[in-house]
Amino acid sequence: MPKGFRFAGVHSGVKAFRKDLALILSDVPATAAGCFTRNLARAAPILELESRLPCEGVRALLVNAGNANALTGEAGREDVRTLHAALAGVLGIGTEAVVSASTGIIGHRLPVEKLANALPLLQEALGGSPDAAAEAIMTTDTRRKIVSTTLRLDGHEVTVGILGKGSGMVHPALATVLGLVVTDAAISPDLLAAALREVMADTFNLLTVDGEMSTNDAVIALANGCSGAPRIASGGAALTAFTEALRDLFTRLSRDIASDGEGATKRLEVEVIGAPSTQDARELARAVAGSTLVKTAIFGADPNWGRVLATVGARAGMQGIAIDPHRSRVSLQGIAVYDGRPTDVDLTELKARMRAPEILIELDLRAGEGRARSFGCDLTYDYVKINADYSAVLVASADGKVARDDRLANYSPGFKTNLLVGALQYISRFSGQLCVVKYGGAAMIKPSLKESFCRDIELLRRVGLRPIVVHGGGEEMRRAVEKLGGVTKVVEGGLHLPGLEDARAMETILTGSVNTELVSLINREEHHAVGVSGKDGGLLRARRRPGSEGHVGDLVSVNVAFLKMLLDQGYVPVISPVGIGEDGHGYPLSGDAVAARIAVALGANKLVYLTDVVGILQDERLVSELTASELTTMLEGEGLRGGMRAKALTVLEALEGGVTKAHIIDGRVPHSLIAELFTDKGVGTLITRAART
Ligand code: ADP
Ligand code: MG
């Protein structure tokens, strides 16, 4: 990134979870210029920017995502001014040194207070990396977009960087919602604006994702002069070099945005040559890249050149462009398919090339010297899905916060039907199956996750599955163990405690507190959960570990008859992992080990561990499926440590004991239990007994 800029991106609460507020701060006053959407319904921040740019003396560029502040009337413009004043106050600069842009949902008041409250945090987060800022401006983009380059101007190294975002409502002009340019070049406001305009004509103005023009498109450039290169104040070599660097960056960004278009699976480029003029070439290139029929053909890898020429003929006819499509030449992926007439092509080869992720359509109109290249992408089922469900599942609360409301009721009838049919197929398959769930990790701590876990357990029971819950110790237990410090430790099979008193304290937490709370929560509507300690009915028999000092027990046996009795009556056992010793004392056991042993003793079909990672990780990547022998091999290496190592050992024990499938899933994701059990592709790690077929 160029010298003299700092960046920050934070979560202010406009969006439910993701970062949504970005700041770019120049150490010194910068020249600012911009290009804006031509949409007459343009947003309040755009109206404000247009009236001020190009200008000198800008220090801060603030951008929020999640709310576009568009079609919000005079109140929306007032909100922009309030926000600018708040940022100027926090940064200790003049209001005239602040510019801003917004992106997100149209027609909702900007939650100014929420944004203003986050400004001190934003200032604190300022640093050299642009990553968080680039992330905070994303909407439906699937990745952040940053490009940069360096050039030499009069012996000084000059850097130009752009933070961009797509990914829907992308069509000339301007064609992307945001491009934030930062450079340490020095340049006059008018020349900066002219350079941007020139480059836009070949890049963002030839970019189309869906033919829809946003209300908030803006390209904003800040040039702070910190490179030390002399100020560009007139045309010449320096201006040309600077403009070319910009052109190169915006071309790269256009490609990146096109390939990350909403739902896109392929990038499309259309190169037109031989048009009567550059303007005509641009018009026709844009028409082809924007044609719904061309785009769907690209999605289907169909070399349907007829659609290309049909589009060219239509647009030329409407606009009075003097060309004759019959005389043109069309190539797909470098293969000529039409040259004054259809050519003989190797269709197999052509179709194979059409499956590539990047598609090039070349068109020679043989009517002049005009040329242009447009950028686009294919049109897929996902584009429709994203946009059919988008506003239906967005709700705005009184404070302006926009969140997804993904209750099933909000989806289209077709989507609901598909979902229900899919779900019912799975559900019937599971009826009567025994499933032991170890409840641990983050799911035990966060109230909303506790809530969704308990609803899931109740749901499983209602659809005929027979769940058995074994819980861990949760946060309270962790703190208690920590307090005992070095004198206690987690060992294989349970807890090693200094003495009987500590064992009693742990038992009080497990049985008296964690277990009771869980049972109450599951039983909020219906009353099927039964809390049992391993002491009850001698459910978990333990014995003092031979030769051990202090207090540590091993699980000896499980009273299966007692458990079966509860299950047969339709109850959901919720088990506190405390074993009863021959000496009558309680022994806190490992929830992982207890769950595995119970699964074996009951002949359960499934064993599920809810924990606080996505599953088993290997080189920081999720392993979604493993056989018992693959897991054994993993255990021989160094990759599995701590809690996960202990879990893996108990999983192997369970599989050896006859359990068919064990799942390790992410308890931090709401309803992960349902997602794992009732969908084809699970969400965590599935470990199976037999070798994969
Ligand atoms: P729980 O409360 O669910 O029993 P633990 O903390 O006992 O959770 O076990 C899970 C922890 O194991 C993870 O949070 C992670 O830090 C650790 N771990 C060690 N190696 C791995 C690995 N290869 N994959 C996943 N987690 C691992
Ligand atoms: Mg653990």
Side-chain angles (χ1 to χ4, degrees), residues 322-379:
I323 56 143
D324 180 3
H326 299 92
R327 292 186 52 240
S328 65
R329 182 176 194 275
V330 183
S331 294
L332 299 178
Q333 300 294 72
I335 298 177
V337 287
Y338 182 93
D339 195 352
R341 59 183 178 79
T343 61
D344 293 323
V345 287
D346 178 349
L347 260 185
T348 323
E349 169 65 15
L350 182 55
K351 279 190 175 159
R353 289 199 201 178
M354 291 300 289
R355 284 196 288 273
E358 285 155 16
I359 302 296
L360 175 64
I361 300 177
E362 292 161 288
L363 204 66
D364 183 354
L365 299 169
R366 293 174 168 143
E369 299 297 313
R371 58 191 308 155
R373 176 183 286 251
S374 65
F375 307 89
C377 59
D378 58 350
L379 175 60

Side-chain angles (χ1 to χ4, degrees), residues 438-445 472-474 490 590-592 609-623 634 638-647 664-665 667-668 685:
K438 154 71 196 311
Y439 177 56
M444 292 193 69
I445 297 159
V490 183
S590 137
D592 296 342
Y609 288 100
L610 248 88
T611 182
D612 57 1
V613 274
V614 288
I616 292 182
L617 302 170
Q618 191 165 30
D619 304 325
E620 287 171 34
R621 292 181 60 162
L622 172 70
V623 185
M634 256 191 101
E638 295 284 289
L640 284 170
R641 285 176 310 274
M644 193 53 76
R645 188 172 189 86
K647 250 181 259 299
I664 296 176
I665 63 174
R668 298 167 303 179
T685 302

Side-chain angles (χ1 to χ4, degrees), residues 14-15 37 39-46 64-73 76 102-111 139 165 168-170 177 210 212-217 262 387 390-392 394-396 400-403:
V14 175
K15 286 191 177 185
T37 180
N39 195 322
L40 292 182
R42 51 192 173 283
I46 298 291
N64 78 278
N67 186 316
N69 194 7
L71 296 171
T72 43
S102 296
T103 167
I105 194 164
I106 298 172
H108 294 266
R109 279 288 294 277
L110 197 66
T139 47
K165 74 162 267 344
M169 267 202 167
V170 173
V177 175
D210 56 4
E212 300 294 340
M213 192 194 286
S214 150
T215 52
N216 290 59
D217 288 344
E262 282 179 346
N387 288 288
Y390 185 76
S391 77
L394 283 181
V395 284
K401 179 169 167 169
V402 177

